[in-house]
Amino acid sequence: MNADRENVFDVAVIGAGVVGCAIARRFTLDGARVVVVEKAADVLDGASKGNSAILHTGFDAPEGSVEVRCMKEGYRLYREIRQRLNLPLIESGALVLAWNREQLSELPSLMERAHANGVTDVEELSRAQILKLEPNLSEQVMGGFRVPGESLIDPWSSAHAYLLQALENGAELRRNSEVTGGSFSNGRWRIETTGGAIEAGTVVNAAGLFGDVVDQRLTGKSWYQIRPRKGQFVVYDKPAAALADHILLPVPTKTTKGIVVCRTAFGNLLVGPTAEEQEDRNHALLDRETMLGLIAKGEEVIPALRSHEVTAIYAGLRPATEEKDYRIRSDLAENYICVGGIRSTGLSAALGIADHVAEISGREARPLADPVWPQMPMLCEYESRDWQEAGNGGVVCLCELVTRREIENAMTGPLAAGSMGGLKRRTRVTMGRCQGFHCSAELARMTEGRLGQPMLAQTCGKKTGREKTSQ
Amino acid sequence: MNAASDTGKGPQAERADVVIVGGGPAGLSAARELRRLGAGTVIILERDREAGGIPRHCGHYPFGMREFKRVLRGPDYARRLVGAARKAGADIRTQSTVTAIGRQGRVEYTTPEGPMVLQARAVLLATGVRETSRASRLIGGEKPGGILPTGALQGIVYLNGERPFSRPVILGSELVAFSALMTCRHAGIRPVAMVEPGVRPSAFSLSRLLPLAMGVPYLSGTAVQAVLGRERVEEVVILHDGDTSSIVADGIIVSGGFRPEATVAVTSGLAVDPGSRGPQIDQFGRIEDSVCFATGNVLRGVETSGWCWSEGRRVAHAIVAAIRGQLPEDNGTTVQIGEGPITLAVPARLSNGSDAVPAHTHLQMRLDRPARGVVQLMQAGKVIASRSVNSLPDRRILLRLPGNMSPTNGAFELVFREA
Ligand SMILES: Cc1cc2nc3c(=O)[nH]c(=O)nc-3n(C[C@H](O)[C@H](O)[C@H](O)COP(=O)(O)OP(=O)(O)OC[C@H]3O[C@@H](n4cnc5c(N)ncnc54)[C@H](O)[C@@H]3O)c2cc1C
Ligand SMILES: Cc1cc2nc3c(=O)[nH]c(=O)nc-3n(C[C@H](O)[C@H](O)[C@H](O)COP(=O)(O)OP(=O)(O)OC[C@H]3O[C@@H](n4cnc5c(N)ncnc54)[C@H](O)[C@@H]3O)c2cc1C
């Protein structure tokens, strides 16, 4: 085989979800020449598109699981590197709350599990203590405990940062490249993608909701089946964020962590997610009745939500499988690692998973002596933002205070936005309460011809305003 | 906020007599009137590239009947208002987004050069409205491109000369939906249907003829359940009489459902009215416990630009009186709205009356359903103002306020006695 040098790599990572991004970073920092192949027009277009954005401690994860190991390590690593990448961390802590006698009786075993998982700073609270910490909480609450380490992060900037660090240290990203097949011979993989073929020494399958499909395409077998589990959310406007300080968690059931009420890094308040099994891996449909149910649930927990407005809605799909634990395995084929079933904790665990994968890959690490640490734009409501700085070019998105400079920056560089969705994840533009009422026209002008997938269909050539087009 | 800078533009606040937040018809007319009345330095902070507000991107008629006694297109109307305010000596600063307003007149705003601070003797909030989004309406389905409020559609068509879709569904039948129809026509977009959840159009009843005349099917009693499509809208799922069906379309215009753009007020901790969701004012336009005033559409859902223009002009008189210490004490109490169809009242707070011209001579109300009867403003069990009403929902209803009232005589209540 005589592929061009430019298509030959040490490691190929399939899928640019948060897990693939973290893995690409790890191998790159370990000195490997890495390529990330992603089928969508932009990264984070699968399971990583919509989650609750909680950095979990792992206090309630199954004891002794791969999951809890990766979560704990991921949690530690995020805290270790986040400042160097300019990523936010909101150390809100969580309250696990019991709303009836049965739930109350489950608290002690949950706290025991937290201890077994090495999360030893959990703290039991009386009803009065809880209401003192969270005065807006419904008085129906009966008891609970506090998990100080549970935190909130920016789910997209973190993943972008991992990938950008890989790219700035020599990795490559191939978008619009769906892996369709491949073969292993003479110690090397040849991977066919819709964007051309590549060669790699080691292949890591981090295809999320399509992990089993990619296993089939490359090795002819798969040892698990993805069973997508949908989670819907409603998001309240910023004033509602003042109603809850902690992440408010219910007592989990066997199948789900339940409906969470918590702030977001962007200063909103979210209620969700649901847990709904479905066959479809491509579509996460929002359902009006379910959203009304979430609103009712939110008001049960915080009655004052009644006078607040829902300003965004979204749904995500968890890449669940028939089993609870992650499905990480390196013996399906030679030089092949499958990282599957990263169901509902992948954001927290990603950096830990990456280390685990590097370890089981058997590849020798030759760490970069002086890697580049890119600086991410800070989108967190609780930190200083670009609109507060000189030379920002002016605010384009009024609701989220997104500046012209932020939008320009998100459309340039090795990880430039490839779609409107990608631009929103990088800047938060149009993600606020008006959903584009004010800024769509300006945004359409700024992005014209610059995103792979344009925002608008065509021009109608009937400009009547006597505007000077910008710049 | 930022560290101090030595340019004098850091934390050191620049002084002004009146700062107006928002340069739409209401803010511009207030500015002109303030200058005419000798209010001193008047600064308008407008977040957009140009002042003018919503009319700037309404390339259609009719605007200006009340103000200029002639029918103008939105952009021409906006230019005239801006010209008049400038000529009167108002300082209009564009690309200036207000981020916080202090009760005592400190206004923080951000510009391309960074954040700035103004200290004013009075602040006027005139930030207008926005339409209720698809998300707020809990419309299910996916989140493809091609879902736009009318305001966004107009900007894209009239300012950019672009066509965001070619066969959209229009949701809603308030007046603004007809403006969406006209915008579509202007851009060569052919709406495939106009869908209204209520049984009759929200705008005047003749207006259903307009879509028909344009060959656009009008479906009343029909809700939008879901929008489908991954990259672009492909299908709109509707619910009519318990049956779902779908319309093939490449976009959806989510029109109307106007709500005050009162975010700065909310995040700055200024009093907001639960009925209108705008800043809560008394009959002089004052926001409780502050040197702040509000006017125009930010007070309540949507009114015509002419209405907002005259509200702006009248609040200017109240502001000048306030600066000169001629307004009665701000001792307003909230008007309680009794059971019934009334959804909001503006002003929702009433202070001592005065001979100085009040900004609001009338209490403005809206209903949430068609109703007939008598509306009464009560104080301590006595009727102090009343009128008969026979109105459709969301129409403006006015009740003249007595001039010599005082909240010290007891609590105010607004009741609707149905016939
Ligand atoms: C509702 C919900 C709430 C959650 N809350 C949290 C939380 O609070 N905290 C937390 O830690 N985790 C949370 N998670 C979990 C977390 O979001 C997931 O674990 C994580 O996103 C999984 O990432 P991934 O990279 O494995 O998969 P994905 O993000 O799906 O990435 C896989 C990528 O592979 C690409 N791909 C697929 N097939 C191919 C192919 N053939 N060729 C090339 N590319 C391909 C896809 O396009 C996709 O981009 C939540 C998840 C959901 C759905
Ligand atoms: C689609 C549409 C069609 C219409 N058609 C007609 C018509 O044909 N005839 C008619 O009479 N009326 C029409 N109207 C109504 C008319 O536009 C409004 O009544 C009028 O614009 C209200 O004026 P305003 O000054 O209160 O608010 P706006 O015009 O909304 O102006 C508010 C201004 O405040 C600015 N602003 C907001 N927040 C901030 C901030 N934080 N900092 C700085 N600036 C800020 C905004 O950028 C805006 O310029 C239409 C409205 C819409 C939406």
Side-chain angles (χ1 to χ4, degrees):
Chain A
M1 228 177 295
N2 214 349
D4 312 359
R5 174 65 200 131
E6 67 183 61
N7 288 320
V8 179
F9 300 89
D10 298 328
V11 179
V13 179
I14 301 169
V18 64
V19 173
C21 292
I23 292 171
R25 171 181 177 273
R26 178 75 269 151
F27 279 113
T28 303
L29 295 182
D30 283 352
R33 190 169 136 73
V34 175
V35 65
V36 180
V37 282
E38 166 57 53
K39 71 174 175 184
D42 205 346
V43 306
L44 308 186
D45 198 45
S48 306
K49 182 155 63 177
N51 56 43
S52 322
I54 301 172
L55 185 70
H56 291 296
T57 54
F59 80 92
D60 63 346
E63 288 162 45
S65 59
V66 180
E67 182 180 17
V68 77
R69 264 210 332 259
C70 291
M71 280 171 84
K72 293 199 52 105
E73 189 58 9
Y75 181 88
R76 188 187 69 76
L77 284 169
Y78 182 84
R79 295 176 63 101
E80 185 178 297
I81 67 173
R82 64 115 185 162
Q83 265 154 339
R84 297 186 73 181
L85 293 167
N86 199 35
L87 294 172
L89 176 71
I90 296 141
E91 301 185 270
S92 58
L95 299 179
V96 179
L97 301 172
W99 298 90
N100 58 40
R101 302 221 158 270
E102 193 190 328
Q103 292 173 357
L104 209 53
S105 70
E106 287 174 43
L107 295 178
S109 66
L110 277 172
M111 291 179 65
E112 262 166 49
R113 184 189 294 175
H115 276 270
N117 285 344
V119 182
T120 52
D121 56 356
V122 293
E123 166 189 13
E124 190 171 358
L125 298 174
S126 69
R127 180 172 176 277
Q129 285 171 313
I130 291 170
L131 289 170
K132 192 159 173 225
L133 283 175
E134 292 293 345
N136 294 300
L137 206 60
S138 160
E139 308 225 324
Q140 304 292 314
V141 70
M142 294 184 69
F145 62 90
R146 186 174 127 85
V147 191
E150 294 278 299
S151 307
L152 297 163
I153 63 176
D154 172 344
W156 302 303
S157 293
S158 50
H160 287 139
Y162 308 156
L163 183 55
L164 188 59
Q165 190 172 27
L167 299 180
E168 293 201 347
N169 286 289
E172 274 190 40
L173 171 64
R174 305 267 168 100
R175 291 181 259 200
N176 298 306
S177 300
E178 175 172 351
V179 171
T180 50
S183 56
F184 183 75
S185 65
N186 301 328
R188 297 194 66 75
W189 279 96
R190 183 184 159 82
I191 305 284
E192 309 295 338
T193 85
T194 52
I198 50 169
E199 268 187 43
T202 300
V203 168
V204 182
N205 167 8
L209 290 157
F210 293 85
D212 53 349
V213 173
V214 169
D215 274 353
Q216 281 284 1
R217 288 182 184 171
L218 293 182
T219 70
K221 52 185 178 269
S222 115
W223 60 299
Y224 65 85
Q225 225 195 353
I226 289 290
R227 302 209 173 141
R229 195 177 297 155
K230 179 168 73 178
Q232 303 187 50
F233 296 88
V234 295
V235 183
Y236 285 85
D237 200 3
K238 295 185 195 291
L243 298 175
D245 191 18
H246 289 81
I247 299 163
L248 305 175
L249 303 168
V251 169
T253 68
K254 290 214 162 49
T255 51
T256 160
K257 284 181 182 297
I259 308 293
V260 179
V261 177
C262 69
R263 288 183 286 155
T264 70
F266 314 113
N268 297 85
L269 190 86
L270 67 75
V271 180
T274 54
E276 306 162 65
E277 305 250 353
Q278 65 174 46
E279 297 276 312
D280 190 332
R281 303 165 182 229
N282 286 308
H283 304 274
L285 295 190
L286 288 154
D287 171 65
R288 186 181 166 80
E289 294 305 317
T290 311
M291 292 187 276
L292 287 167
L294 286 173
I295 288 173
K297 183 79 203 169
E299 291 174 3
E300 253 174 55
V301 176
I302 299 182
L305 273 180
R306 214 156 288 149
S307 59
H308 287 260
E309 189 189 355
V310 168
T311 50
I313 52 180
Y314 67 98
L317 291 178
R318 305 173 185 86
T321 70
E322 10 355 27
E323 271 176 38
K324 260 197 142 178
D325 206 354
Y326 294 169
R327 315 303 284 275
I328 303 179
R329 210 163 138 169
S330 59
D331 58 354
L332 226 49
E334 269 185 272
N335 294 7
Y336 182 85
I337 305 171
C338 146
V339 186
I342 315 298
R343 193 175 46 129
S344 52
T345 51
L347 178 65
S348 312
L351 294 166
I353 294 171
D355 276 15
H356 179 65
V357 168
E359 205 174 291
I360 63 175
S361 76
R363 292 187 53 88
E364 195 193 326
R366 287 194 208 85
L368 299 185
D370 189 14
V372 179
W373 289 82
Q375 293 298 295
M376 299 309 289
M378 179 55 76
L379 303 180
C380 177
E381 180 83 358
Y382 305 97
E383 303 276 346
S384 164
R385 298 260 318 267
D386 194 49
W387 63 265
Q388 292 161 317
E389 305 296 330
N392 61 45
V395 169
V396 174
C397 169
L398 173 65
C399 306
E400 296 293 318
L401 294 171
V402 183
T403 68
R404 186 165 283 107
R405 176 167 62 189
E406 284 176 311
I407 295 169
E408 283 296 333
N409 287 346
M411 292 191 294
T412 47
L415 195 46
S419 65
M420 195 56 210
L423 185 65
K424 292 182 183 185
R425 292 191 286 273
R426 283 169 183 78
T427 60
R428 295 206 46 76
V429 71
T430 76
M431 304 265 265
R433 63 190 74 84
C434 90
Q435 305 257 309
F437 178 83
H438 293 297
C439 64
S440 290
E442 177 79 27
L443 197 58
R445 266 197 300 245
M446 287 188 71
T447 57
E448 200 175 345
R450 298 183 61 186
L451 297 174
Q453 284 165 2
M455 180 174 166
L456 298 173
Q458 67 267 96
T459 54
C460 59
K462 282 201 179 179
K463 190 151 154 173
T464 52
R466 277 164 229 169
E467 294 263 310
K468 287 175 256 61
T469 313
S470 61
Q471 279 106 52
Chain B
M1 289 258 59
N2 271 6
S5 86
D6 52 5
T7 60
K9 286 191 168 167
Q12 186 63 27
E14 181 190 353
R15 299 202 162 264
D17 289 295
V18 185
V19 169
I20 299 175
V21 185
L28 290 166
S29 79
R32 172 169 172 271
E33 196 69 3
L34 280 163
R35 287 289 305 164
R36 272 184 2 109
L37 297 171
T41 43
V42 176
I43 299 176
I44 298 182
L45 299 176
E46 166 55 53
R47 56 163 214 103
D48 222 328
R49 285 173 176 284
E50 279 180 40
I54 286 179
R56 215 167 64 80
H57 53 71
C58 294
H60 55 70
Y61 304 103
F63 286 90
M65 265 116 81
R66 188 189 290 254
E67 311 83 312
F68 302 114
K69 308 284 178 271
R70 52 190 289 187
V71 180
L72 298 167
R73 280 186 211 263
D76 300 323
Y77 169 75
R79 264 191 298 277
R80 279 182 177 239
L81 291 181
V82 172
R86 274 226 175 88
K87 202 164 148 225
D91 174 359
I92 303 178
R93 301 185 183 175
T94 55
Q95 297 197 70
S96 299
T97 302
V98 174
T99 52
I101 300 170
R103 289 175 188 284
Q104 293 316 312
R106 183 182 155 90
V107 179
E108 294 177 20
Y109 67 106
T110 182
T111 71
E113 286 74 48
M116 314 268 165
V117 184
L118 276 165
Q119 177 63 49
R121 297 170 74 191
V123 178
L124 176 62
L125 213 72
T127 46
V129 278
R130 64 188 145 89
E131 290 166 281
T132 308
S133 70
R134 171 259 170 109
S136 293
R137 295 175 204 224
L138 304 180
I139 295 172
E142 293 170 272
K143 298 172 73 178
I147 306 177
L148 294 176
T150 321
L153 170 72
Q154 296 205 319
I156 289 167
V157 167
Y158 291 118
L159 299 184
N160 297 11
E162 278 164 329
R163 182 165 39 205
F165 33 54
S166 49
R167 298 170 54 77
V169 166
I170 299 176
L171 171 58
S173 66
E174 291 173 49
L175 265 181
V176 64
F178 296 93
S179 142
L181 261 181
M182 300 209 289
T183 306
C184 286
R185 193 182 150 118
H186 170 89
I189 297 169
R190 299 183 165 273
V192 288
M194 186 174 212
V195 180
E196 163 59 42
V199 287
R200 59 161 68 84
S202 306
F204 43 96
S205 50
L206 263 184
S207 55
R208 64 182 308 167
L209 295 176
L210 182 60
L212 291 180
M214 285 176 63
V216 179
Y218 174 77
L219 312 170
S220 61
T222 304
V224 171
Q225 281 292 93
V227 185
L228 301 180
R230 209 174 141 84
E231 311 304 342
R232 312 264 336 150
V233 174
E234 288 162 19
E235 246 176 76
V236 175
V237 182
I238 56 171
L239 178 70
H240 179 80
D241 270 350
D243 293 331
T244 52
S245 57
S246 80
I247 305 177
V248 176
D250 64 355
I252 174 164
I253 302 167
V254 182
S255 82
F258 284 97
R259 51 175 58 236
E261 176 52 80
T263 316
V264 217
V266 175
T267 54
S268 302
L270 298 175
V272 169
D273 186 64
S276 69
R277 293 175 188 251
Q280 193 181 64
I281 53 158
D282 72 0
Q283 70 269 43
F284 303 102
R286 286 183 291 200
I287 302 174
E288 189 174 20
D289 195 19
S290 74
V291 299
C292 304
F293 293 72
T295 193
N297 271 340
V298 73
L299 294 178
R300 74 330 16 217
V302 77
E303 279 288 352
T304 64
S305 52
W307 184 269
C308 296
W309 175 85
S310 73
E311 275 180 344
R313 205 173 53 154
R314 278 178 292 137
V315 82
H317 290 258
I319 292 173
V320 169
I323 288 177
R324 298 185 178 149
Q326 290 163 354
L327 274 193
E329 173 197 4
D330 181 346
N331 61 350
T333 58
T334 317
V335 178
Q336 296 302 323
I337 299 178
E339 291 287 303
I342 302 177
T343 53
L344 63 87
V346 173
R349 215 161 57 84
L350 296 173
S351 296
N352 275 353
S354 142
D355 296 335
V357 190
H360 298 267
T361 50
H362 292 76
L363 202 68
Q364 198 186 132
M365 290 161 274
R366 301 237 177 119
L367 309 182
D368 62 4
R369 56 180 161 87
R372 212 151 57 89
V374 176
V375 62
Q376 297 176 326
L377 178 63
M378 319 271 297
Q379 188 175 29
K382 281 211 306 256
V383 179
I384 59 169
S386 89
R387 66 163 289 181
S388 62
V389 170
N390 181 3
S391 172
L392 289 172
D394 293 320
R395 305 289 162 82
R396 176 204 309 148
I397 301 168
L398 297 176
L399 175 65
R400 179 170 270 285
L401 289 168
N404 57 348
M405 78 197 137
S406 169
T408 52
N409 301 338
F412 296 108
E413 199 190 355
L414 196 60
V415 292
F416 194 98
R417 306 206 189 278
E418 285 190 63

